[in-house]
Amino acid sequence: MALALMLSVLIGSNPVPPGQLWQAIAGGGSDEARYIVWSQRLPRTFAAVVVGIALAVSGALVQAYTRNPLADPGILGVNAGAALFVAIGVAFLGITTSTGYVWLACAGALVVTVVVYALAAPARGAADPLRLTLSGVAIGAVLSGLTTGISLTNPDAFDRMRGWNAGSLLERGFDVSLPVLPIIGIGLVLAAAVAPSLNSVALGADVARSQGVNVARTNALVVLSMTLLAGGATAIAGPIGFVGLMIPHIARWLLGVDQRRILAGSLVLGPVLVLLADVVGRVAIVPSEMPAGIVTAFVGAPVLIALVRRRKATAL
Amino acid sequence: MNESPVLVPGARRRAFDVRSAAVTAVLPVVIAALLVVALAVGEYPLTVLDVLGALMGTTDGLAPTVVLDWRLPRAAAAVAFGAALGVAGAIFQTVARNPLASPDVIGLAHGSFTGMIVALLFLGGSWPLLIGGSLLGGVVTALAVAVLTARDGFQSFRFIVIGIGVSAMLAAVNSWLLLRAELETALFAAAWGAGSLNTVSADTAWPAIVCIAVLLLAVPVVSRSMRQLELGDDVARSTGVSVGRVRIVLIGIAVALVSVVTAIAGPVAFIALSAPQIARRLVGSAGIPLVASALTGGMLLLGADIVAQHVIPLTVPVGVVTVVVGGGYLVWLLAREMRRAS
């Protein structure tokens, strides 16, 4: 992770020599180096770390909770909700700033998850994970249809949405990532709080109940935490795929099946992946940049395929 | 096509047959009614009598041109494409024994789209090139998924995961290509990528419909083996089905069906995923009924295209409608089941 951090600060279209880096961080060095490091590299690296942590942890939560190894936060409609709100904001409210997207995306993610949860939960008791997945997929599909409809009939919105949809960390300054930080912080605290009961929940609601876990409360907390984390990450960078899907698998592979270990591993591995993806995106097709979301798909999909092919396909 | 429920256990078998027959009788009537609507409505409105007259060659004037040359190719394509997608979805879902296993999920749509964008951006983008690119993209994607999956036998889980992986990669390629394209080119590609019948004309529709009809003819031949695949590989094998070969033939047919549709109309979402499930509920069967899936798919796509053309004030691609309606149907279904449960 230290290596990934270093690379992220050092590499880009204006490379900074390692020697000047420390001077620049400490406030010395040339004006140019200081400008690049403080106003571009550090904010961007910070955003990548936050996004990586949030996506990976929410992925680990949703996989444990739905007992579905293929689940990622997007499956509960988070991305679709965020995208629809951003599209509406761009097309009808004329919002064009990254900061504006942040609040739209957050609001969209939250509203949609509440709807998905309400649809999946019976009058009393907790939402069944399978039903939750299904309603997430269904509502997500409806919303992305609406988003496509909006953006296809509004060229300006289309132009902005195709950039946002790729998932990029370009120009995500502190002004974009800091407001979201409390949201992600609360999400992480909740995740830490439910982590111990996740092992029981992963075995099924009945087993969990017999072990004295309050299943309804755990479910609600997991969904809330997952939404805050994934919604916050999407708000910062747009939908970056595969981090939430892949990292928990790698963590499980490295650290074993204990959900607490998987969560902790995801916490570290997520940022590494996003940082590396962002760095690769900066240098892959110089002089332009490839959005991090596209790089994660390119790295993530082959890893996922290799994992499934190499090991015996096991559900959680 | 004989829907004999070979070896399907359960007391509902007789009711199932009656209901199945009723459904397969009613759906064509609905489709015919929708067809008349599709042929009559438009900027040059026609009466039902005009439409029927034009179809039978008994009216003169502009009506025959409007009906036969302008509207019929698109409407017929909607029905045929919907049927093709419905059957392909039914095959995928039966073979993988998973209601999520649709061509959308395993990446065919994204692969075709990639082929189409590449043809559009780098090769100039005449229609034959676009169609060729999209066919090639779909088939190569299917082969890639098949090659990656084929190892120590077929596992449904692995098939779907690899499909999702390939699909996500291609989606990334697509959004990357669209991001780099000129806005107008990207808009055109995106409209096609959403699944649209706007560009369907007599030149493209009729050959595609013929292809689909030929492919659909092959389905009854394997449908009986397919029913037995539903019971699991071991049972199927014990009743003399060559499981591996049947599966390859079935998936080949499904891929071909989807590729033809996607080449002309783009990846029309949700029909292949939802039509078989809706058909199964209409018929009330345990397995996925092929004929009903085809009819349901045709009805859904034609209905969706009428909505996309005439009901919504803006002209949107039909894929937008199918996504919203298909997803909405799932939502409604879930809500209804929840009410019943609580």
PDB file of all heavy atoms in Angstrom, chain A residues 192-214:
ATOM      1  N   ALA A 192     -17.737  -1.842  11.144  1.00  0.00           N
ATOM      2  CA  ALA A 192     -16.973  -2.438  12.236  1.00  0.00           C
ATOM      3  C   ALA A 192     -17.909  -2.991  13.307  1.00  0.00           C
ATOM      4  O   ALA A 192     -17.648  -4.045  13.898  1.00  0.00           O
ATOM      5  CB  ALA A 192     -16.033  -1.390  12.842  1.00  0.00           C
ATOM      6  N   ALA A 193     -19.024  -2.292  13.524  1.00  0.00           N
ATOM      7  CA  ALA A 193     -19.952  -2.722  14.569  1.00  0.00           C
ATOM      8  C   ALA A 193     -20.638  -4.038  14.212  1.00  0.00           C
ATOM      9  O   ALA A 193     -20.852  -4.885  15.077  1.00  0.00           O
ATOM     10  CB  ALA A 193     -20.995  -1.629  14.807  1.00  0.00           C
ATOM     11  N   VAL A 194     -20.971  -4.220  12.938  1.00  0.00           N
ATOM     12  CA  VAL A 194     -21.698  -5.441  12.570  1.00  0.00           C
ATOM     13  C   VAL A 194     -20.760  -6.590  12.210  1.00  0.00           C
ATOM     14  O   VAL A 194     -21.211  -7.727  12.089  1.00  0.00           O
ATOM     15  CB  VAL A 194     -22.690  -5.240  11.401  1.00  0.00           C
ATOM     16  CG1 VAL A 194     -23.797  -4.303  11.802  1.00  0.00           C
ATOM     17  CG2 VAL A 194     -21.969  -4.755  10.160  1.00  0.00           C
ATOM     18  N   ALA A 195     -19.471  -6.291  12.042  1.00  0.00           N
ATOM     19  CA  ALA A 195     -18.544  -7.329  11.583  1.00  0.00           C
ATOM     20  C   ALA A 195     -18.621  -8.632  12.384  1.00  0.00           C
ATOM     21  O   ALA A 195     -18.673  -9.714  11.799  1.00  0.00           O
ATOM     22  CB  ALA A 195     -17.121  -6.790  11.563  1.00  0.00           C
ATOM     23  N   PRO A 196     -18.666  -8.565  13.733  1.00  0.00           N
ATOM     24  CA  PRO A 196     -18.685  -9.824  14.486  1.00  0.00           C
ATOM     25  C   PRO A 196     -19.897 -10.704  14.182  1.00  0.00           C
ATOM     26  O   PRO A 196     -19.797 -11.927  14.170  1.00  0.00           O
ATOM     27  CB  PRO A 196     -18.715  -9.352  15.941  1.00  0.00           C
ATOM     28  CG  PRO A 196     -18.147  -7.982  15.913  1.00  0.00           C
ATOM     29  CD  PRO A 196     -18.575  -7.398  14.620  1.00  0.00           C
ATOM     30  N   SER A 197     -21.066 -10.078  13.921  1.00  0.00           N
ATOM     31  CA  SER A 197     -22.245 -10.922  13.678  1.00  0.00           C
ATOM     32  C   SER A 197     -22.308 -11.413  12.244  1.00  0.00           C
ATOM     33  O   SER A 197     -23.134 -12.260  11.920  1.00  0.00           O
ATOM     34  CB  SER A 197     -23.532 -10.164  14.032  1.00  0.00           C
ATOM     35  OG  SER A 197     -23.324  -8.796  14.077  1.00  0.00           O
ATOM     36  N   LEU A 198     -21.427 -10.870  11.377  1.00  0.00           N
ATOM     37  CA  LEU A 198     -21.504 -11.274   9.967  1.00  0.00           C
ATOM     38  C   LEU A 198     -21.208 -12.750   9.765  1.00  0.00           C
ATOM     39  O   LEU A 198     -21.775 -13.393   8.885  1.00  0.00           O
ATOM     40  CB  LEU A 198     -20.535 -10.448   9.125  1.00  0.00           C
ATOM     41  CG  LEU A 198     -21.055  -9.110   8.638  1.00  0.00           C
ATOM     42  CD1 LEU A 198     -19.991  -8.402   7.831  1.00  0.00           C
ATOM     43  CD2 LEU A 198     -22.301  -9.292   7.798  1.00  0.00           C
ATOM     44  N   ASN A 199     -20.295 -13.288  10.568  1.00  0.00           N
ATOM     45  CA  ASN A 199     -19.980 -14.713  10.419  1.00  0.00           C
ATOM     46  C   ASN A 199     -21.225 -15.563  10.619  1.00  0.00           C
ATOM     47  O   ASN A 199     -21.457 -16.520   9.890  1.00  0.00           O
ATOM     48  CB  ASN A 199     -18.902 -15.128  11.417  1.00  0.00           C
ATOM     49  CG  ASN A 199     -17.528 -14.691  10.940  1.00  0.00           C
ATOM     50  OD1 ASN A 199     -17.251 -14.714   9.746  1.00  0.00           O
ATOM     51  ND2 ASN A 199     -16.695 -14.274  11.862  1.00  0.00           N
ATOM     52  N   SER A 200     -22.012 -15.201  11.634  1.00  0.00           N
ATOM     53  CA  SER A 200     -23.240 -15.952  11.884  1.00  0.00           C
ATOM     54  C   SER A 200     -24.236 -15.736  10.762  1.00  0.00           C
ATOM     55  O   SER A 200     -24.857 -16.684  10.269  1.00  0.00           O
ATOM     56  CB  SER A 200     -23.876 -15.517  13.210  1.00  0.00           C
ATOM     57  OG  SER A 200     -22.894 -15.408  14.195  1.00  0.00           O
ATOM     58  N   VAL A 201     -24.384 -14.480  10.337  1.00  0.00           N
ATOM     59  CA  VAL A 201     -25.362 -14.188   9.296  1.00  0.00           C
ATOM     60  C   VAL A 201     -25.001 -14.911   7.999  1.00  0.00           C
ATOM     61  O   VAL A 201     -25.872 -15.366   7.266  1.00  0.00           O
ATOM     62  CB  VAL A 201     -25.466 -12.660   9.072  1.00  0.00           C
ATOM     63  CG1 VAL A 201     -26.355 -12.350   7.877  1.00  0.00           C
ATOM     64  CG2 VAL A 201     -26.013 -11.983  10.305  1.00  0.00           C
ATOM     65  N   ALA A 202     -23.691 -15.041   7.748  1.00  0.00           N
ATOM     66  CA  ALA A 202     -23.266 -15.706   6.527  1.00  0.00           C
ATOM     67  C   ALA A 202     -23.716 -17.162   6.496  1.00  0.00           C
ATOM     68  O   ALA A 202     -23.792 -17.775   5.437  1.00  0.00           O
ATOM     69  CB  ALA A 202     -21.749 -15.621   6.363  1.00  0.00           C
ATOM     70  N   LEU A 203     -24.005 -17.725   7.655  1.00  0.00           N
ATOM     71  CA  LEU A 203     -24.450 -19.118   7.702  1.00  0.00           C
ATOM     72  C   LEU A 203     -25.957 -19.254   7.523  1.00  0.00           C
ATOM     73  O   LEU A 203     -26.496 -20.339   7.513  1.00  0.00           O
ATOM     74  CB  LEU A 203     -24.051 -19.741   9.049  1.00  0.00           C
ATOM     75  CG  LEU A 203     -22.550 -19.825   9.302  1.00  0.00           C
ATOM     76  CD1 LEU A 203     -22.295 -20.272  10.718  1.00  0.00           C
ATOM     77  CD2 LEU A 203     -21.898 -20.760   8.312  1.00  0.00           C
ATOM     78  N   GLY A 204     -26.639 -18.117   7.406  1.00  0.00           N
ATOM     79  CA  GLY A 204     -28.077 -18.173   7.251  1.00  0.00           C
ATOM     80  C   GLY A 204     -28.777 -17.578   8.459  1.00  0.00           C
ATOM     81  O   GLY A 204     -28.262 -17.601   9.581  1.00  0.00           O
ATOM     82  N   ALA A 205     -29.982 -17.047   8.207  1.00  0.00           N
ATOM     83  CA  ALA A 205     -30.700 -16.329   9.255  1.00  0.00           C
ATOM     84  C   ALA A 205     -31.010 -17.230  10.456  1.00  0.00           C
ATOM     85  O   ALA A 205     -30.890 -16.814  11.606  1.00  0.00           O
ATOM     86  CB  ALA A 205     -31.983 -15.738   8.683  1.00  0.00           C
ATOM     87  N   ASP A 206     -31.364 -18.483  10.182  1.00  0.00           N
ATOM     88  CA  ASP A 206     -31.754 -19.366  11.288  1.00  0.00           C
ATOM     89  C   ASP A 206     -30.588 -19.646  12.216  1.00  0.00           C
ATOM     90  O   ASP A 206     -30.717 -19.571  13.437  1.00  0.00           O
ATOM     91  CB  ASP A 206     -32.308 -20.683  10.736  1.00  0.00           C
ATOM     92  CG  ASP A 206     -33.600 -20.441   9.985  1.00  0.00           C
ATOM     93  OD1 ASP A 206     -34.258 -19.416  10.296  1.00  0.00           O
ATOM     94  OD2 ASP A 206     -33.930 -21.242   9.110  1.00  0.00           O
ATOM     95  N   VAL A 207     -29.440 -19.958  11.604  1.00  0.00           N
ATOM     96  CA  VAL A 207     -28.250 -20.214  12.408  1.00  0.00           C
ATOM     97  C   VAL A 207     -27.902 -18.977  13.229  1.00  0.00           C
ATOM     98  O   VAL A 207     -27.621 -19.052  14.426  1.00  0.00           O
ATOM     99  CB  VAL A 207     -27.055 -20.607  11.508  1.00  0.00           C
ATOM    100  CG1 VAL A 207     -25.808 -20.815  12.348  1.00  0.00           C
ATOM    101  CG2 VAL A 207     -27.381 -21.849  10.711  1.00  0.00           C
ATOM    102  N   ALA A 208     -27.956 -17.819  12.542  1.00  0.00           N
ATOM    103  CA  ALA A 208     -27.602 -16.580  13.226  1.00  0.00           C
ATOM    104  C   ALA A 208     -28.508 -16.358  14.428  1.00  0.00           C
ATOM    105  O   ALA A 208     -28.048 -16.022  15.524  1.00  0.00           O
ATOM    106  CB  ALA A 208     -27.709 -15.406  12.252  1.00  0.00           C
ATOM    107  N   ARG A 209     -29.812 -16.580  14.225  1.00  0.00           N
ATOM    108  CA  ARG A 209     -30.763 -16.373  15.313  1.00  0.00           C
ATOM    109  C   ARG A 209     -30.444 -17.315  16.481  1.00  0.00           C
ATOM    110  O   ARG A 209     -30.468 -16.920  17.636  1.00  0.00           O
ATOM    111  CB  ARG A 209     -32.187 -16.607  14.788  1.00  0.00           C
ATOM    112  CG  ARG A 209     -33.181 -15.603  15.296  1.00  0.00           C
ATOM    113  CD  ARG A 209     -34.481 -15.698  14.522  1.00  0.00           C
ATOM    114  NE  ARG A 209     -34.487 -14.809  13.365  1.00  0.00           N
ATOM    115  CZ  ARG A 209     -34.781 -15.209  12.124  1.00  0.00           C
ATOM    116  NH1 ARG A 209     -35.088 -16.466  11.890  1.00  0.00           N
ATOM    117  NH2 ARG A 209     -34.777 -14.350  11.148  1.00  0.00           N
ATOM    118  N   SER A 210     -30.114 -18.553  16.137  1.00  0.00           N
ATOM    119  CA  SER A 210     -29.830 -19.519  17.190  1.00  0.00           C
ATOM    120  C   SER A 210     -28.561 -19.166  17.936  1.00  0.00           C
ATOM    121  O   SER A 210     -28.336 -19.613  19.052  1.00  0.00           O
ATOM    122  CB  SER A 210     -29.711 -20.927  16.590  1.00  0.00           C
ATOM    123  OG  SER A 210     -28.479 -21.040  15.917  1.00  0.00           O
ATOM    124  N   GLN A 211     -27.718 -18.343  17.308  1.00  0.00           N
ATOM    125  CA  GLN A 211     -26.503 -17.919  18.011  1.00  0.00           C
ATOM    126  C   GLN A 211     -26.699 -16.586  18.718  1.00  0.00           C
ATOM    127  O   GLN A 211     -25.744 -15.967  19.186  1.00  0.00           O
ATOM    128  CB  GLN A 211     -25.340 -17.804  17.021  1.00  0.00           C
ATOM    129  CG  GLN A 211     -24.913 -19.155  16.483  1.00  0.00           C
ATOM    130  CD  GLN A 211     -23.776 -19.058  15.498  1.00  0.00           C
ATOM    131  OE1 GLN A 211     -23.462 -17.980  15.022  1.00  0.00           O
ATOM    132  NE2 GLN A 211     -23.158 -20.193  15.204  1.00  0.00           N
ATOM    133  N   GLY A 212     -27.940 -16.139  18.782  1.00  0.00           N
ATOM    134  CA  GLY A 212     -28.230 -14.945  19.557  1.00  0.00           C
ATOM    135  C   GLY A 212     -27.988 -13.637  18.829  1.00  0.00           C
ATOM    136  O   GLY A 212     -27.867 -12.583  19.444  1.00  0.00           O
ATOM    137  N   VAL A 213     -27.931 -13.686  17.502  1.00  0.00           N
ATOM    138  CA  VAL A 213     -27.736 -12.448  16.747  1.00  0.00           C
ATOM    139  C   VAL A 213     -29.101 -11.859  16.413  1.00  0.00           C
ATOM    140  O   VAL A 213     -30.019 -12.576  16.018  1.00  0.00           O
ATOM    141  CB  VAL A 213     -26.959 -12.735  15.443  1.00  0.00           C
ATOM    142  CG1 VAL A 213     -26.908 -11.487  14.572  1.00  0.00           C
ATOM    143  CG2 VAL A 213     -25.565 -13.214  15.758  1.00  0.00           C
ATOM    144  N   ASN A 214     -29.214 -10.542  16.584  1.00  0.00           N
ATOM    145  CA  ASN A 214     -30.445  -9.875  16.190  1.00  0.00           C
ATOM    146  C   ASN A 214     -30.394  -9.648  14.676  1.00  0.00           C
ATOM    147  O   ASN A 214     -29.811  -8.684  14.188  1.00  0.00           O
ATOM    148  CB  ASN A 214     -30.565  -8.537  16.929  1.00  0.00           C
ATOM    149  CG  ASN A 214     -31.861  -7.817  16.593  1.00  0.00           C
ATOM    150  OD1 ASN A 214     -32.480  -8.079  15.563  1.00  0.00           O
ATOM    151  ND2 ASN A 214     -32.267  -6.914  17.462  1.00  0.00           N
TER     152      ASN A 214
END
